[in-house]
Every structure is written in C-alpha cells, then in structure tokens.
Amino acid sequence: MLKFENVSKIYSGNHYAVQNLSFEVEKGEFIVFIGPSGCGKTTTMKMINRLIDPTEGVISIDDKDSNLQDTVQLRRDIGYVIQQIGLFPHMTIQENVTLVPRLLKWSKEKRKERAKELLKLVDMGEEYLTRYPNELSGGQQQRIGVLRALAADPPLILMDEPFGALDPITRDTLQGEFKDLQQRLGKTIVFVTHDMDEALKLADRMLILKDGKLVQIGTPDEILTEPANEFVEEFIGKERLIQMRANVETVEHMMNKHPVTIHESASLSVAIQVMREKRVDSLLVTDSEGYLKGYVDIEMIESNRNNNKTIADIHLTKIHTVHKKARLRDSISRILKLGASYVPVVDDDMRLLGILTRATLVDVVYDSIWGHEDPGKEDQIAATVEESVL
Amino acid sequence: MFEVLSDVIQYYMQNFSYISQEFFRHFLMAAYGVLFAAIVAIPLGITIARFGRLSNWGIQLANIIQTIPHLAMLSIFMIAMGLGANTVVVALFFYSILPIVKNTYTGIVNVDQVLLDSGKAMGMTKGQLLRMVEIPLALSVIMAGLRNALVIAIGIVAIGAFFGAGGLGDIIIRGTNVTDGTAIILAGAIPTALMAIITDLIMGTLEKLLHPVKSVKDDKENVDHAAPA
C-alpha cells in the first residue's frame, strides 16, 4: 500500500530532518509514527502527500511513485486530518465535509447524500449540515474533521495529532470511535502522535523515530516486550513498562534460572540429601545434556525407599512445562489454575532452563508496587520465598 | 440661526432637482474613483501578499502618494488633464489605492496558515485556494478598505469643484462667493456630510455581512442541547 525506500529530507546545508527511512505499510493497517518533538514524524507524514517533497528516495503508494504524480490529484486521493482541525469558518458543515468531493466535481445531490451518510457514521444528526463550525464543540469539530477526510472515500488517511488538542475525556471517546470506524471501513491510517498511551491504544504497528532516524518498528507488544534500546525504553516510560510487564513479559525474563535439579542416574538417597540441603520437597530430573525428564517429590521417594533404585526408575515423566517465550501472565494463571506449586521452563527441545514458582508471582506483584529495584537483592528475596513455598 | 435654517429649506425646495443631480454626480465621481482603484488595488494587494518582499516598498509607495495634499494632487492632474470630472476621478484613483491595497494585503496575509495548509492538503489548486479560502476570508477586511477609501473620496470630490468637476462642492463654492451665503454653503455641506455618513453606515453593514465567521444565532439553543451527543 505505502512504501518508503531510503527516503531522506535534507534542509539547508546538512541538516537531516529525516534520514534514510525505509518501511512498508500494509493495506488496512493502522500505523503510528511516534517520537519526541523534532524527530521528523510530521515531516515524514507530510512527505506522503507531498506537502513536503523528499530530497532523496522513493515513496510509493500502491506501487506508484508519488513523485511522478500530480500533487493536486495525489492529495485529493489521500485524507488529511490535523490537530488544529482546520475547518473553514465561512463554510457550513456540509460544505466543509464535502469539500474534496466538490473539488472532484461530484454533483450537488451526490454531495448532499454523502454528507448525510457521513454524519450518520459519527451519530450526528442532519440538522448539523447547515451549521457553521464555530457553533460546534471541539470534539464535534474534530469528528467533522475526520469525516472531511473520509468524504471522497480515500484508501489512505494521514492524521497529524488529531486528538491532541481535545480534553482527555473527549479524546478517549474519539479514539475509541475512530479505531472502530477505521476497522469497519478498512482504511489505511498513518497517524502521528507523541502520546504513548494513544499510540499503544490505536496502533497495529508503531514506528519510533528519533532525530529523523528510524529507531524501531513493530507492534505495540513487540515494542513493549523488546525495546530496541535505552531511548525506546525511556520513551515508553518505566511506569508503563512495569505495568505492561505482566501482560507482555515472557516467562524467560522472570523465571528463576537455578532450579534444584538432580541427574536421572542418581540414587534415591542422594536425592533425599539434595532435598534436605536445598530445603525443597521435589526435584526436577534431567539427563546429562540438561533435558528435562520429569520430577520426583518426597512422597514418591518415600514409597520406594527400600528398593535400591535410581531416580530414572521411578520418576514421573508427566509434567506440565511452559515454553520460555510464553507470556508470564498466562503462565501465572496456569499455575494458579492447576494448583501446581511450580512449572519448569523449557526451550523448544525440552531442555530445562529455569523454573517458575509462586514466588515469581510475588516478584511481579512486588515490582508493580515498588518498581524494579536492585536485581541482586531481589533474587535473594525470591530465593528465600521460593524455599518456603516449595 | 432659525432664519438660516429656513433659508436652507427654501433653497432646497427651489433647487431640488439641481441639488439631487449634483448629489448623484458627486457620489458617482467618488464611486468611480474607488471602483477603478479597486480593480487595480485588490489584485495588487493579493500579489504583494504572495510575494512578501514586494509588500514593503509597495505599501511605502502608496503611503507617499497618500501624503500629497489633495489640492496639490488635483492641481498636478489639472495641469496634465485640464479641467473636468476626469481629473478628479484620476486623483481619487491614486488616493484610494493605499487603503485598498493595505487592507487586501492585511486580509490575505492574516488568513490562518492552518486553513491554507489544510486546503492545500485536500488537493486545492492555488487558484481554488484563493477563490474558495483566501478571498472569502479576507473579504470583510477588503471591504473595510473600500469603505475607508469611499469616505475619503467623498471629501475629496468636494474640493474637486475648484477644478470644474461639479458636484456638491459647486454649491459650497457658490455660497462662499456671495455675500450672506451661509444658507447656500450649508445647503451644499449638509448633503456632503450626510453622504459620507450614510456611505460609511452602509459599507459597515456590508462589511459585517461579509464577515467570514458566521453563526446562526437562533440555533444556539439547539446546539447546546445537542452538544453532549
């Protein structure tokens, strides 16, 4: 649908407003450009409808190089919504909404029909058609601003912080309404904002910019889970990262990396000794390569004590495991549901990597209340708690 | 005092058709001058608004013209064009250029950049932007310039009587030339003043009507009612 290839914008001298940007947007995708002010996000957006011409590189829409198209025609095929709304004060709502159709020379009846249809999309009555923009509230005005962009049914809509100037409640409502509308109509949206909450709420994919350069592109989940660098982490905000942690963090990050294990060839008496030393009531059984074979607990050893067996002979192979990439949130709810006191964490080949215990749950709760503190200290606490739980 | 007033009334009754003829002549001269000036000055104002660099010396030049005393300006044109209404109309043309250019320039320059950007982004050509956005939004300011120019012009036309242009100034001059001409002077001066005041009022109303930010007052209640939706 929309493709940037090595696009740069250079202002007088050597100042790069946007540097060597390449990415692609799928049809129907909601992509959010985000970054601190002056990062080039608005410049990037304005290059799409050529309000700003790129210095280098190619921007193509539906595989057509936009530089080779007539700018006026190009802009009529792309919706545009801005923060300041920009409704024309001397035109009625109907005239405002159907301005692009008018430029495209639609008939008067068709335009009026279209205006009514559009107002219905945002649940505004026909009586608004004859009003002037200054008679509407800010939220209503921006709804009209959005409708104006939709009027000629363009496949692509550009939005420059459209909800930035609205009060929080109206903003929230409009974001919801708009996301809904976008999904219903299947429009491709390019949305510029500096508000991380808004981006996380609306975006299918986010593109993080800094000093005109692409820092990271990905879904909100991907960005929250694996921020590309410190800048992204900072930009997302520690608070938000911690809040989202339980939702998107993988098991790998929170697991205890030193589960108490025992080799399958060890004898039962050794097992009991290990249990006593580590003060636990069950052991994970592994082979020489570290593959998880099962577990033994104190009851099983008790019932087999008199026989001279090794662990390989008695351990239960049936054990619930979680993959290292599994979501922490899901895994915790699994532990709670199964009533298990722990779940071993494995990789693709069933190699034992760590263990998730109820103590981990405590860690998550602790983190979200007091924040992430000195990891060494925390490990210690976790270890202590773990022992008492097991 | 009372005597003078009754003399004026008597003058009007005796010379009604003459006075109304001069009245219209007077007004037409002023209107023509302003009209011709508008034809030149409005496009000029738009042009200098487009090319920022021109604006300074363009308005400077018009300012200089404006500082030339009326009598001097009219005399200069009289030397070139002889006596008659045309001389006055040409002088008015030059006097009217400044207020019209200045207001057109101001009106166009003050159109919100946001609106221009959003018009451009919606795919308006330069011409459409001018026709559909800039001129409608600047119209009331341009109108204020015309109003200003017309009121000044009405005053200048009165002086034009010295250069054989006719108009209500003729009556005033006649009054100054006769002994005890107070009534005649007033008979010329009162309609001149009235013309200026009425023109100002009418143009002021027009200016308000053309103000771009409109609102339908009677619907106010409805709007408030519908706002939470």
Side-chain angles (χ1 to χ4, degrees), chain A residues 76 80 90 99 128 134-135, chain B residues 121-123 128 132 214 223 226:
Chain A
R76 287 177 189 174
Y80 191 66
H90 59 296
L99 193 71
Y128 284 99
N134 67 331
E135 298 173 272
Chain B
M122 287 194 316
Q128 285 169 330
M132 295 165 78
K214 291 181 181 117
V223 174

Side-chain angles (χ1 to χ4, degrees), chain B residues 3-22:
Chain B
E3 210 176 300
V4 173
L5 216 61
S6 74
D7 281 353
V8 172
I9 292 165
Q10 203 191 344
Y11 188 85
Y12 280 146
M13 294 209 295
Q14 283 167 356
N15 303 290
F16 183 75
S17 71
Y18 169 67
I19 289 172
S20 57
Q21 192 190 324
E22 292 301 315

